[in-house]
Amino acid sequence: MCSLPVLLAVFYIVIMTPLMGRKNGYTVDATPSFQLTRAIVATGDWFPPEKVKQGYVYSLVYIPFYAAGQVLEAWLPSPEPDWIPRKCLCWMNTVLTGLTVGLLAGVLGRLGYSPGAQAFVPLAYGFSTLAFAYARYDYNKCLAALLLLSAFSYAVIYLVNKNPRAVIGCGVAMGLLVTVRLEMAAAGVALFGVIALNTDRWAARRNTALAFWLPIGLGIGWVLLYNRIYWGSDLTGGYEWNFQWNPFPALQGFFFSPGKNIWFYNPVLLLLPLVVRAFRQRHPAVSGMWLGMLAAFLGVYSFWGNWWGGWAWGPRHLVPLLPLAVIPLAAVVDGGSRELKLLLVILAAAGWFIQFLGGYTDFNNIILTLMNQGVTEVELIWNPVWNPIVNHSRFLPYIPIQEWDYGWIGLYQFAPAAVFWALLILWCGTAAGLGYLIHKAVRRAE
């Protein structure tokens, strides 16, 4: 019998695969990642002339998905050459988010939460937060989220069991993370601080520090070397590196701006102020590490010149912290009042609808349409009239269903009817079967 985390991961991947976007690309930064992978596979040269922005490891992870896309392209009709392999870059993020959902269930289990909480909170994360949107696209945020949660998971194992091998796993996860997003090394300070405080002997602290920081140092060294060779710089790596000295506009934007605040796009997080105290009382060391990692993230991106993430759905830079952010919500499932539990369900449903609005059409199209009418990017962030969620709802009546950006719509239009209905029935049956197994696993464990 499969464990609950495995069932949740497979369930999420099955549900989300035909809900991917129909376009084969959504961000210009992902195109070099695709080109690098294609060059590696085609030439066998692991360091071809193609270059990417902090994304070499992202391109390596993509290799098996690219290879699967080549196999599919050999016997499926494709709109254009490389369309299916390129589309598999989006599917990779679907799989990575599914793995994050499963890992999140495992973390909650290690923290002692009930099977019901282990099921509900990860699914709320996967379907009602920005994780839903970015699981359909080709940004590298999904890989960053998985690696960050992996580092946190290993740290929890160490705090619970004092297993020194867990520190190595934590360091390796953070080392891989910095090769994807260098600035996320800031989270390592909070991680190691709590690990060191919970290590008694000086010799053990020294060994712990070596096991933790050595992989991170190697990851940072790799990024600096890659940037020096391919971009002629140490840190920027092709980005217009720009920090601002005043963090308050970004903090105000993250929490209160009409267009980019974290609450509008992830309504379940509105309950965090009500549950953090209970989370801290139950897990003093883990909660300190949790809060430190979130603070490190907000600190880094509050000084980031492009704190809002440019053309994207919601505050893009904060997507990797979402699996961490939802963890205290398990306290609502296990010990909250009936009213609080009902509110959590309502907020999760609202979040699902918001993600639907963000996905039924490519957000780039809405932004481009508004900017062609004279709306500036600053207004999209700060003017309530141009709130993206509101405008996606306004455009909804004018975009025919056959143009919605969901895989099922495209399959209905281009596949033979028999094939479409057979796949739809198979999908519904598989999802229902997995849902039953999840329900059964929860009931059996309780």
Side-chain angles (χ1 to χ4, degrees):
M1 180 65 69
C2 290
S3 65
L4 183 58
V6 172
L7 287 172
L8 289 168
V10 175
F11 177 76
Y12 187 83
I13 294 169
V14 167
I15 292 292
M16 290 296 295
T17 293
L19 295 180
M20 284 191 302
R22 294 165 58 181
K23 296 175 62 177
N24 66 342
Y26 291 86
T27 169
V28 294
D29 285 349
T31 299
S33 297
F34 166 76
Q35 293 171 339
L36 175 59
T37 300
R38 181 176 59 183
I40 291 173
V41 173
T43 65
D45 182 359
W46 289 94
F47 298 98
E50 286 78 3
K51 55 188 179 181
V52 291
K53 300 177 180 180
Q54 290 194 33
Y56 183 82
V57 170
Y58 187 63
S59 294
L60 295 185
V61 175
Y62 172 47
I63 288 177
F65 296 90
Y66 176 85
Q70 285 187 307
V71 173
L72 288 173
E73 193 174 45
W75 61 277
L76 286 177
S78 180
E80 59 188 65
D82 279 334
W83 191 93
I84 293 178
R86 178 69 173 82
K87 187 63 200 170
C88 284
L89 186 58
C90 295
W91 188 62
M92 178 179 76
N93 284 332
T94 300
V95 174
L96 292 173
T97 306
L99 295 177
T100 305
V101 166
L103 179 59
L104 180 55
V107 171
L108 293 175
R110 289 189 178 278
L111 291 175
Y113 290 103
S114 70
Q118 294 174 46
F120 183 87
V121 173
L123 291 177
Y125 156 74
F127 290 109
S128 75
T129 73
L130 286 173
F132 178 93
Y134 286 84
R136 304 172 64 246
Y137 300 146
D138 46 14
Y139 293 91
N140 62 13
K141 301 302 183 183
C142 300
L143 178 58
L146 177 61
L147 291 172
L148 184 66
L149 184 62
S150 297
F152 182 84
S153 175
Y154 278 114
V156 168
I157 293 173
Y158 178 78
L159 294 177
V160 173
N161 300 326
K162 291 297 188 290
N163 185 343
R165 294 182 180 179
V167 178
I168 300 175
C170 186
V172 170
M174 284 299 304
L176 291 172
L177 177 62
V178 299
T179 66
V180 178
R181 299 295 308 184
L182 181 61
E183 69 277 4
M184 292 185 183
V189 177
L191 273 172
F192 181 73
V194 174
I195 290 174
L197 288 174
N198 285 270
T199 303
D200 298 329
R201 295 177 292 110
W202 167 251
R205 287 184 180 180
R206 180 195 60 205
N207 295 336
T208 296
L210 181 63
F212 183 82
W213 287 111
L214 180 59
I216 297 176
L218 292 175
I220 294 173
W222 161 257
V223 173
L224 297 181
L225 179 62
Y226 185 92
N227 290 349
R228 170 62 64 181
I229 294 174
Y230 281 86
W231 294 100
S233 64
D234 294 327
L235 290 175
T236 56
Y239 287 98
E240 296 177 0
W241 209 264
N242 179 24
F243 283 94
Q244 58 186 16
W245 293 107
N246 181 6
F248 295 106
L251 289 172
Q252 182 183 359
F254 285 141
F255 292 111
F256 303 112
S257 69
K260 289 288 184 175
N261 82 70
I262 195 169
W263 315 114
F264 283 174
Y265 294 91
N266 311 279
V268 293
L269 298 186
L270 287 167
L271 291 182
L272 280 182
L274 302 179
V275 297
V276 166
R277 182 178 180 182
F279 180 62
R280 181 181 179 184
Q281 290 175 341
R282 182 168 178 172
H283 308 287
V286 172
S287 64
M289 181 172 64
W290 174 85
L291 184 60
M293 293 176 73
L294 296 189
F297 255 97
L298 286 173
V300 168
Y301 287 114
S302 293
F303 290 97
W304 203 260
N306 181 16
W307 62 265
W308 60 92
W311 283 31
W313 179 246
R316 173 169 62 95
H317 293 312
L318 301 187
V319 170
L321 64 76
L322 292 177
L324 292 180
V326 300
I327 288 175
L329 297 179
V332 177
V333 180
D334 278 2
S337 64
R338 180 179 300 179
E339 292 76 14
L340 203 58
K341 291 178 181 178
L342 178 61
L343 182 57
L344 177 60
V345 172
I346 292 173
L347 291 174
W352 172 84
F353 182 69
I354 288 169
Q355 304 316 318
F356 159 75
L357 289 177
Y360 81 87
T361 187
D362 181 5
F363 60 86
N364 290 288
N365 296 338
I366 303 293
I367 294 174
L368 182 61
T369 299
L370 294 175
M371 295 187 77
N372 285 339
Q373 299 300 316
V375 180
T376 65
E377 190 168 4
V378 173
E379 288 179 303
L380 291 174
I381 299 170
W382 296 106
N383 191 334
V385 174
W386 305 118
N387 172 275
I389 298 172
V390 172
N391 280 283
H392 273 248
S393 65
R394 288 174 178 169
F395 277 82
L396 182 59
Y398 304 101
I399 299 179
I401 292 178
Q402 59 267 26
E403 295 182 12
W404 285 5
D405 191 32
Y406 288 108
W408 275 125
I409 307 297
L411 187 64
Y412 177 78
Q413 289 179 325
F414 296 107
V419 173
F420 171 80
W421 288 109
L423 290 175
L424 181 60
I425 293 171
L426 177 63
W427 180 70
C428 291
T430 304
L434 288 168
Y436 171 76
L437 291 176
I438 290 171
H439 175 73
K440 186 177 179 180
V442 170
R443 291 292 299 273
R444 184 177 63 253
E446 289 180 342

